[in-house]
Amino acid sequence: MSSITIEMVNDGNIEQCRELCNELMAFQQSAATIAPETFDIMNFDTRMKRSYESSLDSQVIVVKDAGIPVGYAFSTIDYVDASKNSIPEWAPVQDPERDKGFYPEWVRLPQKIGCLSNLYLRDGYRDKGLGSKLFEMSVEWLESFNDVHLIFIYVSNGNDTAFDFYLSRGFTYSHDVFGGFIKAVYKKAD
């Protein structure tokens, strides 16, 4: 572990997360029990890069082993209004009247909301405390915004380990997004 470093991306070079993000999307697809084919269009360009470029603020933290990226966390701050709670075209929704979007009815929109969007470590780097460290750094950053009162994390269906990880760290189950394709957990920012 002496060759492990944790670095903040301050120069905008998120390209170093491309391969890791694509691995995360492939893992989510392999674990999915609801509409795994939906992940066919999800990759670094359509998920992380697009979100990074459109968010009000973002943080990327990269774990490296001897200079090679082996994990990362990606968080965003966004101004969310009702239009951002609509159901996107790609969402596997069975019943638009019943299936909820990203935010439940109790969330008053518009407002700024924080989101821990991605947290991923390659096999061999898990269970070493690195995921906890990435999580803690991300939440600390999200909570540093005085005008952000809610933090959400969206967990793909089938990824029960991640879901349980977030619940064990003070997040609360909020709702199923798109009929259970995603599970939302939240925390009120301190």
Side-chain angles (χ1 to χ4, degrees):
M1 289 273 291
S2 63
S3 62
I4 300 288
T5 59
I6 298 176
E7 304 172 8
M8 303 292 278
V9 174
N10 296 318
D11 61 0
N13 179 19
I14 65 166
E15 188 65 33
Q16 62 187 311
C17 297
R18 176 178 290 278
E19 191 174 322
L20 294 168
C21 181
N22 290 337
E23 287 174 19
L24 172 60
M25 298 302 121
F27 169 77
Q28 290 174 333
Q29 184 171 35
S30 72
T33 57
I34 298 171
E37 68 281 357
T38 304
F39 288 97
D40 288 345
I41 62 168
M42 295 185 189
N43 58 46
F44 173 81
D45 292 313
T46 62
R47 294 282 311 277
M48 184 177 178
K49 184 176 180 182
R50 182 178 293 162
S51 182
Y52 181 84
E53 291 173 347
S54 67
S55 65
L56 292 176
D57 208 341
S58 59
Q59 179 194 58
V60 177
I61 310 165
V62 180
V63 176
K64 295 181 178 180
D65 187 353
I68 307 295
V70 296
Y72 76 105
F74 168 53
S75 301
T76 61
I77 301 292
D78 268 316
Y79 184 77
V80 179
D81 61 22
S83 71
K84 289 190 178 177
N85 200 29
S86 61
I87 297 175
E89 246 180 63
W90 57 262
V93 173
Q94 302 297 319
D95 182 355
E97 296 299 315
R98 178 190 52 124
D99 292 346
K100 296 180 181 136
F102 286 105
Y103 304 98
E105 294 83 26
W106 58 265
V107 173
R108 292 185 184 186
L109 300 176
Q111 71 169 298
K112 279 187 181 178
I113 294 179
C115 181
L116 173 50
S117 297
N118 298 158
L119 194 158
Y120 177 73
L121 288 164
R122 284 190 171 144
D123 287 337
Y125 296 92
R126 297 179 190 139
D127 300 318
K128 298 180 183 307
L130 294 168
S132 294
K133 182 68 174 166
L134 288 172
F135 172 81
E136 290 162 10
M137 291 172 72
S138 298
V139 171
E140 182 179 311
W141 179 79
L142 290 163
E143 289 180 335
S144 73
F145 291 82
N146 293 331
D147 56 349
V148 172
H149 305 290
L150 286 172
I151 300 168
F152 276 88
I153 303 173
Y154 299 98
V155 182
S156 296
N157 74 89
N159 195 352
D160 297 335
T161 301
F163 182 75
D164 293 341
F165 175 85
Y166 298 128
L167 292 179
S168 74
R169 281 156 178 81
F171 278 72
T172 302
Y173 169 76
S174 171
H175 67 290
D176 283 346
V177 179
F178 311 141
F181 180 69
I182 299 167
K183 290 191 178 303
V185 297
Y186 77 99
K187 177 183 183 205
K188 292 184 178 181
D190 293 335

